[in-house]
């Protein structure tokens, strides 16, 4: 995605168009994921009425332009006012959850096409964002799901997205799970998380611990960001499937054409 909020651009790759979206930008054009606490927090899956109304007013319900038309999501699109408004008018932490990133699209498409990967299994969706991959796992028959994102507003958006798809909301953890004691999961999925060198190193070690401690399967979705393609984790990956991205996603991601699902085998 490549968007900006009031002139402060947020994009996994540099872009030339203006719009209004996220304020965080790294010198290499890659985003800082908000591994920090939001000033607004709620526990559990209870929807705060004021926040629910805000999200419903300022996002668009859509299933267009992605690899998974089966999944409906509340996203920030050019039809939403905050696509164009000044960044400082957005009252909460950066809405990374409001974008359906290409790595997550690939993971979600793969799980929908291969439900045996999740059926009857426990699944952790790490850095869940809009929750699409966790929703795909639920549609595929996963027995237990945890969506993890450190932004509690993402947790509320995930709950709303579950309702859009006529699913009972699954548990959502809004803490940095890398700092917590590891639970046993049959499958960990994560998309678009390798965009920062330090975070990539931390994820690599955490995923290795999952694999060696619990024999957890790990699937990673990524469209080919340099921090992922150039990381040492590449020596421990097996390509599962590569998808051609829909034209709208290509345009929003500065011309990226494909996204790949990788099986992590340390």
């Amino acid at each position: 995605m490549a968007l900006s909020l009031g002139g402060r651009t947020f994009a996994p790759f540099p872009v030339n168009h203006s719009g209004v979206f996220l304020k965080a930008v790294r010198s290499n054009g890659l985003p800082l994921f908000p591994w920090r606490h939001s000033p607004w927090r709620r526990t559990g899956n209870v929807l705060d009425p004021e926040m629910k109304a805000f999200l419903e007013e300022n996002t668009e319900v859509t299933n267009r332009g992605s690899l998974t038309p089966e999944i409906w999501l509340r996203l920030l699109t050019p039809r939403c006012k905050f696509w164009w408004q000044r960044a400082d008018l957005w009252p909460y932490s950066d809405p990374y959850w409001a974008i359906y990133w290409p790595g997550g699209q690939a993971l979600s498409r793969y799980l929908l096409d291969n439900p045996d990967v999740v059926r009857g299994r426990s699944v952790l969706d790490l850095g869940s964002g809009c929750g699409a991959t966790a929703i795909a796992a639920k549609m595929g028959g996963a027995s237990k799901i945890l969506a993890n994102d450190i932004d509690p507003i993402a947790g509320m958006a995930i709950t709303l997205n579950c309702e859009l798809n006529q699913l009972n909301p699954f548990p959502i953890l809004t803490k940095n799970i890398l700092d917590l004691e590891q639970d046993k999961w049959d499958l960990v999925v994560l998309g678009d998380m390798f965009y920062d060198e330090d975070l990539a190193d931390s994820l690599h070690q955490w995923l290795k611990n999952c694999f060696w401690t619990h024999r957890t399967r790990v699937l990673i979705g990524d469209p080919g960001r340099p921090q992922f393609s150039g990381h040492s984790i590449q020596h421990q990956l097996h390509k599962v499937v590569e998808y051609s991205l829909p034209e709208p996603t290509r345009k929003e991601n500065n011309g990226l054409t494909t996204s790949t699902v990788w099986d992590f085998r340390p």
Side-chain angles (χ1 to χ4, degrees):
M1 282 291 167
L3 304 163
S4 65
L5 232 160
R8 289 180 288 177
T9 304
F10 169 81
F13 294 95
V15 291
N16 296 320
H17 72 274
S18 62
V20 238
F21 183 40
L22 298 175
K23 62 188 178 184
V25 152
R26 297 183 62 86
S27 59
N28 60 3
L30 288 155
L32 276 171
F33 194 82
W35 291 92
R36 62 183 186 277
H37 291 295
S38 167
W40 182 92
R41 297 187 65 83
R42 291 289 186 273
T43 57
N45 289 3
V46 178
L47 291 180
D48 175 88
E50 182 179 350
M51 174 56 63
K52 181 175 185 289
F54 180 87
L55 295 182
E56 290 176 341
E57 179 182 355
N58 292 290
T59 56
E60 179 185 5
V61 175
T62 180
N63 69 338
R64 299 188 302 272
S66 77
L67 288 170
T68 58
E70 302 96 320
I71 298 177
W72 291 85
L73 300 168
R74 285 198 167 274
L75 302 175
L76 201 60
T77 74
R79 295 168 62 91
C80 304
K81 70 176 183 180
F82 278 106
W83 186 281
W84 310 107
Q85 286 273 16
R86 296 196 336 263
D88 56 6
L89 296 180
W90 180 267
Y92 304 105
S93 57
D94 300 330
Y96 298 87
W97 51 265
I99 299 301
Y100 194 7
W101 302 97
Q105 289 189 33
L107 280 170
S108 301
R109 180 72 267 158
Y110 178 70
L111 297 186
L112 290 173
D113 290 343
N114 300 274
D116 287 346
V117 173
V118 294
R119 185 177 294 121
R121 292 177 168 84
S122 59
V123 180
L124 169 64
D125 184 13
L126 178 60
S128 189
C130 66
T133 303
I135 288 171
K138 183 76 170 180
M139 290 177 169
S143 60
K144 176 184 176 183
I145 297 171
L146 178 64
N148 170 235
D149 195 294
I150 57 88
D151 187 349
I153 303 177
M156 297 197 71
I158 292 169
T159 300
L160 290 175
N161 288 335
C162 285
E163 293 175 356
L164 284 177
N165 292 280
Q166 300 181 327
L167 300 173
N168 292 326
F170 33 74
I172 299 163
L173 175 68
T174 56
K175 294 181 180 179
N176 186 349
I177 201 169
L178 303 187
D179 294 336
L180 305 179
E181 182 177 350
Q182 288 183 334
D183 290 328
K184 184 181 185 304
W185 298 94
D186 296 321
L187 175 66
V188 172
V189 291
L190 63 158
D192 308 284
M193 292 287 286
F194 285 79
Y195 48 76
D196 174 84
E197 184 176 351
D198 291 339
L199 177 57
D201 290 343
S202 296
L203 284 169
H204 189 195
Q205 184 58 53
W206 192 88
L207 295 172
K208 284 194 292 185
N209 290 341
C210 279
F211 183 89
W212 291 116
T213 303
H214 302 298
R215 309 306 295 180
T216 300
R217 187 181 185 188
V218 177
L219 294 176
I220 301 172
D222 193 90
R225 294 187 179 88
Q227 284 85 345
F228 182 68
S229 300
H231 196 273
S232 59
I233 197 173
Q234 288 293 319
H235 303 297
Q236 300 167 326
L237 297 177
H238 170 75
K239 181 185 286 190
V240 178
V241 63
E242 184 176 41
Y243 295 101
S244 178
L245 292 170
E247 188 61 27
T249 301
R250 294 187 184 197
K251 290 179 179 179
E252 292 168 352
N253 286 274
N254 201 34
L256 285 172
T257 59
T258 63
S259 190
T260 302
V261 176
W262 302 89
D263 198 344
F264 177 58
R265 300 178 183 175

